Amino acid sequence: MQRKIVPKHLHQNNNSSIEADMKVEINKKRLEYLLALYKMSVDDLLSLLNKGRKRITGAADISGDSIDLGVLKRIGEIFDKEVSFFQDYSKLSTNASSSIFFRKTSFGTELNLESIRTVNRFESLKNALDAYNKLSQLDVKFDIEHYTLQDDPKTVAVRARDFFYPGETVNHRQFLVKMIEKIADHGIFVFEYIETWNKKEKTNIDGFYLKPNVIVLKHHKHYKREIFTLAHELGHCLLGIEEVESVDMMDISAQTSYSDVERWCNDFAYQFIMGQEAETLANIACVDSRNDYCIDLFKAISARTHISRLALYTRMYIDRKISYSSYSNVKSELAEEYRRREEQEKLKNSEKRGGRTPKPIISPLFLKTMQYAYFNGVVNETTFCSRLNVKPANFERELWR
């Protein structure tokens, strides 16, 4: 019997229709689990599936023991899961211990879909790392002292600097790297993730803390903001209170609605980064035209302390040492200065060939976990490179770093 040859271009054109006609058996409880995790109804899911599409998917199409492959792939894209995830019949727990989304009902920021995906991704990574450490017998000691909201954040910050402050480092990125290393010394994982400029949907958060020992940061090209976020999340870690949030000290509108926890963590982060320089600002009675709005002083302090000038003026406004009109004027001037600087940076980058996307900072605790896992036969070279986002050609270098 002669086999009929279908032209390649017809395969490509009909690929989606072929998938739509191909049923795949699934574990329905896996989909139910994701809907519970994302606090999403069936109607919410259908709305996302049908957005911009002529062929409408109905509730009956996703409620059976098998689903069209094309629809299943689109569901997987929404939840950042492979098709194999839905075909796995092992049990997933919806207990509070399994995810922050089963432990908390609300967050400091109304999370968009990409933020939930990101948190879930790092929860899955941490679960994998815990399993690696158990199998390779790497004992990660979570070694910190816990505090409460009744403890003075300034006093706690002074004490925390003895353990977590990386010392005097002028370069902001290097300061961040060293601070992550100091935090790793006490059994705390710090992960950084990077979103490219052309990514369709971006997270609306700056970072989060997951019990007992995970801090995650979104990369900012202005490292001062990322440093503040890390210090803020360290505050959450010391309190033992989880959160997923946007950490923007310059958002005045949010200041009045901050919870006691957020206010404590902001105060802790400010005092931790500023150190003794905080006393200089505390001794300023007011900021106005009589002292030229402390322009030169704040510029010098910002250069020494890894905190932005705008954050310093915001602190002055919070402490009622500068009027709202003066603060608004300063904020506008600094925003214009930042805008001009960014335009210069864009022009400089456009003149360079093949600008590279920065790589996330790797915590030494993360690297150590993967090294132990490899040497003990828990993971192979492929998994090692995949977890650490390392090119296979650089495997040996990273393995012995």
Side-chain angles (χ1 to χ4, degrees):
M1 179 177 173
Q2 187 176 6
R3 190 170 67 177
K4 185 177 179 180
I5 304 298
V6 180
K8 185 178 180 182
H9 72 277
L10 290 182
H11 273 299
Q12 293 170 337
N13 292 340
N14 292 325
N15 188 52
S16 59
S17 61
I18 291 172
E19 287 187 351
D21 295 330
M22 184 184 298
K23 293 282 187 178
V24 177
E25 188 177 331
I26 68 162
N27 177 4
K28 286 194 300 184
K29 292 189 178 298
R30 288 275 167 143
L31 181 54
E32 292 168 3
Y33 168 85
L34 291 174
L35 290 173
L37 184 76
Y38 280 67
K39 304 291 189 293
M40 192 184 291
S41 67
V42 172
D43 286 341
D44 292 334
L45 176 57
L46 290 173
S47 178
L48 291 171
L49 285 171
N50 292 323
K51 187 176 181 179
R53 305 188 75 88
K54 293 181 180 179
R55 185 170 180 173
I56 301 300
T57 300
D61 298 320
I62 62 173
S63 61
D65 293 322
S66 60
I67 295 180
D68 291 337
L69 179 57
V71 174
L72 186 60
K73 284 186 174 181
R74 297 202 325 265
I75 292 174
E77 288 173 3
I78 291 171
F79 295 116
D80 192 27
K81 300 295 181 185
E82 299 291 335
V83 169
S84 57
F85 172 86
F86 299 95
Q87 297 176 310
D88 189 339
Y89 281 81
S90 59
K91 188 176 180 181
L92 290 174
S93 173
T94 56
N95 292 334
S97 59
S98 65
S99 172
I100 189 173
F101 296 117
F102 297 132
R103 293 191 291 272
K104 287 176 66 76
T105 56
S106 62
F107 298 91
T109 301
E110 189 173 342
L111 308 181
N112 63 12
L113 196 58
E114 183 58 24
S115 295
I116 300 174
R117 291 189 195 107
T118 300
V119 174
N120 186 235
R121 196 177 303 134
F122 280 102
E123 283 186 321
S124 298
L125 173 60
K126 181 52 169 55
N127 289 338
L129 296 182
D130 286 343
Y132 295 164
N133 286 337
K134 187 175 182 179
L135 291 170
S136 60
Q137 297 183 331
L138 174 61
D139 185 18
V140 176
K141 295 188 181 298
F142 179 41
D143 175 29
I144 67 163
E145 185 175 349
H146 278 107
Y147 299 89
T148 70
L149 292 176
Q150 282 64 53
D151 292 305
D152 175 42
K154 179 181 177 181
T155 303
V156 177
V158 171
R159 179 167 172 76
R161 280 173 67 94
D162 291 338
F163 299 96
F164 305 110
Y165 194 80
E168 303 307 319
T169 306
V170 175
N171 182 277
H172 302 311
R173 185 182 186 279
Q174 198 58 39
F175 180 91
L176 180 63
V177 170
K178 289 186 176 181
M179 186 171 167
I180 289 173
E181 291 173 353
K182 294 281 283 187
I183 291 174
D185 289 341
H186 297 273
I188 303 170
F189 288 90
V190 179
F191 301 103
E192 184 192 41
Y193 70 94
I194 295 174
E195 295 182 314
T196 56
W197 65 271
N198 59 347
K199 187 176 181 181
K200 288 183 179 180
E201 184 181 7
K202 294 182 173 63
T203 57
N204 63 339
I205 57 176
D206 293 302
F208 51 95
Y209 161 64
L210 303 173
K211 285 184 176 181
N213 61 337
V214 174
I215 292 173
V216 179
L217 309 171
K218 177 163 73 174
H219 166 77
H220 281 280
K221 59 182 177 180
H222 300 298
Y223 281 104
K224 288 181 180 180
R225 179 165 176 176
E226 195 171 346
I227 289 168
F228 189 88
T229 299
L230 177 54
H232 179 100
E233 299 305 334
L234 177 60
H236 275 284
C237 186
L238 294 173
L239 290 174
I241 299 176
E242 294 179 299
E243 189 55 274
V244 183
E245 60 198 332
S246 170
V247 183
D248 188 358
M249 192 178 176
M250 278 66 79
D251 186 2
I252 291 299
S253 63
Q255 298 291 338
T256 55
S257 62
Y258 278 155
S259 66
D260 291 341
V261 174
E262 293 312 302
R263 199 170 287 111
W264 193 98
C265 291
N266 269 349
D267 288 345
F268 167 84
Y270 172 79
Q271 296 290 344
F272 179 88
I273 297 170
M274 289 287 286
Q276 292 182 347
E277 294 286 4
E279 293 300 319
T280 304
L281 266 69
N283 292 329
I284 297 174
C286 66
V287 177
D288 55 26
S289 59
R290 289 171 295 180
N291 53 17
D292 198 24
Y293 299 98
C294 298
I295 292 174
D296 292 336
L297 174 63
F298 285 9
K299 187 179 290 187
I301 291 175
S302 177
R304 293 195 297 265
T305 59
H306 306 282
I307 198 166
S308 71
R309 284 177 287 162
L310 183 52
L312 297 178
Y313 280 108
T314 302
R315 187 72 194 190
M316 291 292 94
Y317 178 74
I318 293 171
D319 292 342
R320 299 182 180 179
K321 293 183 177 183
I322 185 172
S323 68
Y324 180 75
S325 60
S326 294
Y327 172 75
S328 297
N329 290 336
V330 171
K331 187 175 181 179
S332 297
E333 289 176 8
L334 289 175
E336 177 60 22
E337 182 181 323
Y338 293 152
R339 186 191 65 78
R340 288 197 301 267
R341 191 184 307 157
E342 284 203 348
E343 283 186 353
Q344 291 174 354
E345 288 178 3
K346 285 180 181 177
L347 183 63
K348 193 183 296 182
N349 290 336
S350 66
E351 292 172 353
K352 295 179 182 178
R353 288 187 176 182
R356 292 185 299 175
T357 301
K359 290 186 176 182
I361 298 168
I362 301 297
S363 165
L365 187 57
F366 183 17
L367 178 60
K368 183 179 181 181
T369 294
M370 295 309 301
Q371 289 170 331
Y372 264 68
Y374 178 80
F375 287 129
N376 285 277
V378 177
V379 301
N380 58 21
E381 181 179 333
T382 301
T383 302
F384 180 95
C385 292
S386 175
R387 291 290 190 195
L388 293 169
N389 194 25
V390 171
K391 292 181 179 179
N394 298 330
F395 166 68
E396 288 287 342
R397 186 185 68 187
E398 294 299 318
L399 184 62
W400 297 101
R401 183 151 68 99

